[in-house]
Each structure stands twice: as structure tokens, then as C-alpha cells.
Amino acid sequence: MTDQEITSLVSEVLREQIPEAGFLGAEAVSSSDFDGDPVIKIVARYQRRPETKPDPLLNASHILRSALISRGEDRFILLKNDVVSEKQTESDID
């Protein structure tokens, strides 16, 4: 699959599976891990962390992996969840 196809699938799956997070978008990039094996690096952006326990963002990589495998994509994924409400807005000042 191309990076664009993967990004589209990831966006569709996360928007549907984790609606309470306020999904904002995702980006997938083909890359290599430290051993040179092919991987897919994904950054998913959300408005907030869901209050549901257990945290559905922790299970997102499994959901995405299953969706990608069903489409014939077997590369390992490295997922980073970027939550806007958790970003630091002021500098650390001592």
C-alpha cells in the first residue's frame, strides 16, 4: 500500500473506532526501523484523550494493525498519538 492509501485507511478507522477523541487527522510514512526492516510510522492527532477506561488510544495500534493486515499490508506500525489537550502551552520556568 502507498503512504496515501495507508493514511486514508488509518483516518477512516480511527475516526470510526475512537469518536470520543475528536480525531483531527493522521499521517503515515514508510520508513525503516533500527535493523533496516520496513515499517510504517503513523502520527494520529486527536483533540482530547477519551475518558473511557481502558484508554482506547492505547489499543489503537492493534486496531490499525488488524485493518492493515486485512488489506494485505504486513509491515509493522509505529504509532504516535498526538493529543492537543495534552500539549504544553507555556515554557518551563524555574
Side-chain angles (χ1 to χ4, degrees):
M1 294 179 74
T2 67
D3 290 353
Q4 186 176 11
E5 291 170 328
I6 294 168
T7 297
S8 178
L9 176 63
V10 165
S11 296
E12 179 184 320
V13 169
L14 293 177
R15 187 174 287 112
E16 180 182 303
Q17 295 292 319
I18 313 173
E20 65 272 24
F23 180 74
L24 298 172
E27 181 180 358
V29 177
S30 296
S31 188
S32 299
D33 67 7
F34 60 91
D35 285 332
D37 294 325
V39 297
I40 304 166
K41 292 183 179 180
I42 300 171
V43 176
R45 293 176 302 285
Y46 306 91
Q47 196 69 326
R48 64 199 152 275
R49 184 170 298 277
E51 293 182 18
T52 309
K53 299 295 180 204
D55 184 348
L57 297 186
L58 298 176
N59 195 36
S61 61
H62 299 291
I63 294 168
L64 293 176
R65 180 104 170 102
S66 294
L68 289 165
I69 287 172
S70 74
R71 298 265 171 73
E73 180 58 67
D74 63 354
R75 289 179 283 174
F76 188 76
I77 65 167
L78 302 172
L79 174 64
K80 176 184 177 203
N81 290 313
D82 186 7
V83 181
V84 172
S85 67
E86 296 176 353
K87 288 201 179 257
Q88 184 173 347
T89 58
E90 297 180 19
S91 304
D92 285 335
I93 300 174
D94 290 344

